[in-house]
């Protein structure tokens, strides 16, 4: 175990502690844990997404610990108080590729003395990491919970192509889609490709309205508090269909993310009424991102949009997640449908032992923060089964 930097303590409920652990993969990993008082408890590993932190799990950790588990939530590579990753847009992306994020998780639970994990739970961008943990090492990660981001399956290797006309590559299809988004009226761009630009970190870190106000608007727009979040299935992966997504997913081409969400900044009355993320809790996120910036998390998007790591993942082409799984999302969460077909493929083929799909009322994208009691109940029921 290593000593962390001199930082102000996080405002945590009694029963959750913060510490730093060497994950044997180059990181001094900051983690929150509950249920640590007694040994030999089964482990639950909780993996956050963007732009979040281990702190995002604070409301479900104690109920899960009360059910008998050692509950572990790290700041993942590029985030929060975890150190050892290379900073900056020009840093080598290799360390942020998916299989290295799986290695981070494996190293952490091994350092904590766990040979197996009862369930790995991932939210937002943590969801594909959890999925790949379960797919690559099912002997360690015995079940998986995917939250807000469906897992559509492993990228396929082109089959029976030796004597056939070559099909358009994945990158070629995406390039055409991005071009067609730019031809909509008004012109649009996809947020993941925006997040892959050099300017995105600065736009958010130094938002004109201030970092705290930017995060308030961002979290508000993707929550059930924003009345325009009424998601539905899209018919196909086309520009016209994607153009129906909210502007925080398919943005106006000439706007930054800070400008995009500023238009829907909640009123002072709405902020005061927000019980799931009061101002003092939002201040924790603002303070951490003011210190680190967003680039560490944005590197994850660049690994996906660039396409250079697809071939590595195709090593598992044809494989499925065969451990017990379930899916949880908020009813007001567009993340369920942002990539047409993934929600259906997850249930039909990608996960062979999916025990349930839980769409939680009164929640948007931040489901474990907006409705922690219901999420805790679903998680406890799943892992005890």
């Amino acid at each position: 175990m290593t000593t962390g930097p001199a930082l102000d303590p996080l405002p945590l409920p009694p029963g959750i502690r913060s510490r730093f652990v060497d994950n044997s993969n180059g990181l001094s990993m900051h983690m929150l844990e509950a249920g640590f008082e007694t040994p030999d408890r089964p482990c639950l590993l909780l993996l956050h997404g963007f732009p979040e932190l281990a702190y995002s799990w604070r409301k479900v950790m104690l109920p899960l610990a009360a059910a008998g588990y050692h509950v572990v939530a790290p700041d993942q590579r590029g985030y929060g108080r975890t150190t050892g990753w290379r900073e900056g847009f020009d840093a080598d992306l290799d360390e942020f590729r998916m299989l290295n994020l799986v290695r981070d998780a494996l190293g952490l639970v091994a350092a904590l003395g766990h040979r197996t994990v009862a369930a790995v739970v991932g939210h937002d961008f943590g969801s594909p990491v959890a999925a790949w943990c379960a797919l690559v090492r099912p002997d360690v990660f015995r079940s998986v919970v995917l939250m807000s981001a469906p897992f559509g399956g492993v990228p396929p290797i082109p089959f029976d192509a030796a004597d056939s006309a070559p099909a358009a590559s994945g990158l070629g299809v995406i390039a055409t889609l991005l071009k067609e988004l730019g031809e909509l009226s008004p012109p649009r761009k996809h947020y993941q490709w925006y997040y892959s630009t050099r300017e995105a970190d600065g736009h958010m870190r130094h938002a004109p309205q201030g970092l705290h106000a930017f995060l308030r608007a961002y979290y508000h727009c993707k929550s059930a508090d924003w009345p325009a979040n009424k998601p539905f299935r899209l018919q196909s992966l086309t520009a016209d269909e994607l153009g129906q997504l909210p502007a925080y997913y398919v943005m106006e081409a000439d706007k930054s993310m800070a400008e995009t969400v500023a238009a829907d900044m909640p009123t002072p009355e709405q902020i005061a009424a927000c019980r799931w993320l009061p101002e003092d809790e939002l201040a924790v996120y603002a303070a951490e991102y003011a210190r680190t910036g967003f680039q560490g998390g944005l590197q994850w998007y660049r690994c996906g949009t660039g396409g250079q790591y697809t071939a590595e993942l195709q090593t598992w082409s044809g494989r499925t997640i065969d451990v017990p799984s379930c899916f949880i999302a908020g009813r007001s969460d567009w993340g369920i449908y942002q990539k047409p077909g993934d929600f259906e493929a997850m249930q039909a083929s990608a996960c062979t032992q999916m025990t349930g799909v839980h769409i939680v009322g009164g929640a948007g994208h931040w489901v474990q923060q907006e409705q922690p009691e219901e999420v805790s109940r679903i998680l406890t029921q799943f892992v005890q089964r």
Side-chain angles (χ1 to χ4, degrees), residues 39-188:
D40 301 323
R41 287 177 168 224
C43 179
L44 299 180
L45 179 64
L46 312 180
L47 302 176
H48 67 81
F50 180 90
E52 295 190 274
L53 301 162
Y55 184 72
S56 303
W57 298 104
R58 65 199 177 280
K59 297 183 179 183
V60 301
M61 294 182 71
L62 290 176
L64 295 174
Y69 296 91
H70 180 203
V71 187
V72 176
D75 285 339
Q76 295 205 75
R77 183 179 293 268
Y79 288 89
R81 302 187 173 198
T82 288
T83 58
W85 50 278
R86 290 180 289 276
E87 299 183 24
F89 185 87
D90 295 312
D92 189 344
L93 290 179
D94 276 4
E95 66 169 297
F96 298 96
R97 73 193 195 279
M98 184 58 68
L99 293 184
N100 203 45
L101 302 178
V102 172
R103 174 62 180 84
D104 284 342
L106 190 65
L108 176 63
V109 297
L112 294 172
H114 292 289
R115 296 189 183 278
T116 62
V117 174
V120 55
V121 183
H123 174 251
D124 184 82
F125 218 142
S127 178
V129 180
W132 279 96
C133 284
L135 195 146
V136 174
R137 292 301 305 267
D139 57 320
V140 176
F141 301 98
R142 299 298 183 88
S143 68
V144 59
V145 180
L146 310 174
M147 295 174 62
S148 298
F151 180 68
V154 178
I157 292 176
F159 184 75
D160 195 23
D163 299 311
S164 304
S169 69
L171 287 178
V173 171
I174 292 297
T176 298
L177 178 62
L178 296 176
K179 177 178 179 293
E180 291 173 350
L181 284 175
E183 294 169 350
L184 294 178
S185 180
R188 307 283 288 277

Side-chain angles (χ1 to χ4, degrees), residues 13 100 132 166 259 266 291 332 340:
N100 203 45
W132 279 96
E259 292 168 330
R291 183 175 53 79
S332 298

Side-chain angles (χ1 to χ4, degrees), residues 236 241 251 285 306:
S236 58
E241 286 293 296
M251 307 162 63
Y285 293 100

Side-chain angles (χ1 to χ4, degrees), residues 296-363:
L298 296 177
Q299 301 291 65
W300 295 31
Y301 289 95
R302 295 178 64 205
C303 287
T305 59
Q308 64 267 53
Y309 301 107
T310 301
E312 182 177 64
L313 299 180
Q314 286 173 329
T315 305
W316 286 269
S317 178
R319 294 298 300 269
T320 52
I321 294 175
D322 300 323
V323 299
S325 60
C326 79
F327 180 77
I328 304 171
R331 187 168 293 143
S332 298
D333 185 3
W334 269 104
I336 304 170
Y337 306 120
Q338 68 153 306
K339 186 177 178 186
D342 275 7
F343 183 58
E344 294 76 16
M346 174 185 68
Q347 299 170 74
S349 57
C351 298
T352 62
Q353 291 197 61
M354 180 149 279
T355 65
V357 172
H358 307 273
I359 307 301
V360 179

Side-chain angles (χ1 to χ4, degrees), residues 181-333:
L181 284 175
E183 294 169 350
L184 294 178
S185 180
R188 307 283 288 277
K189 63 187 177 187
H190 196 282
Y191 82 105
Q192 292 187 8
W193 276 262
Y194 166 73
Y195 279 166
S196 300
T197 65
R198 184 179 293 273
E199 298 78 23
D201 173 60
H203 287 167
M204 294 184 286
R205 190 175 188 176
H206 306 295
Q209 65 268 51
L211 178 56
H212 185 102
F214 161 67
L215 288 172
R216 170 59 72 189
Y218 190 88
Y219 292 141
H220 173 76
C221 282
K222 298 184 75 171
S223 77
D225 296 343
W226 196 51
N229 282 328
K230 300 184 185 301
F232 53 86
R233 284 179 174 84
L234 302 179
Q235 297 304 307
S236 58
L237 189 62
T238 62
D240 285 338
E241 286 293 296
L242 292 185
Q244 299 180 78
L245 289 168
Y248 54 74
Y249 276 138
V250 177
M251 307 162 63
E252 292 188 21
D254 61 347
K255 290 185 178 178
S256 69
M257 185 60 79
E259 292 168 330
T260 296
V261 299
D264 296 294
M265 179 71 179
T267 66
E269 292 76 19
Q270 289 174 312
I271 294 171
C274 183
R275 297 288 177 257
W276 66 270
L277 188 61
E279 284 289 271
D280 60 334
E281 294 181 1
L282 178 62
V284 174
Y285 293 100
E288 293 294 279
Y289 281 104
R291 183 175 53 79
T292 66
F294 295 90
Q295 193 61 54
L298 296 177
Q299 301 291 65
W300 295 31
Y301 289 95
R302 295 178 64 205
C303 287
T305 59
Q308 64 267 53
Y309 301 107
T310 301
E312 182 177 64
L313 299 180
Q314 286 173 329
T315 305
W316 286 269
S317 178
R319 294 298 300 269
T320 52
I321 294 175
D322 300 323
V323 299
S325 60
C326 79
F327 180 77
I328 304 171
R331 187 168 293 143
S332 298
D333 185 3

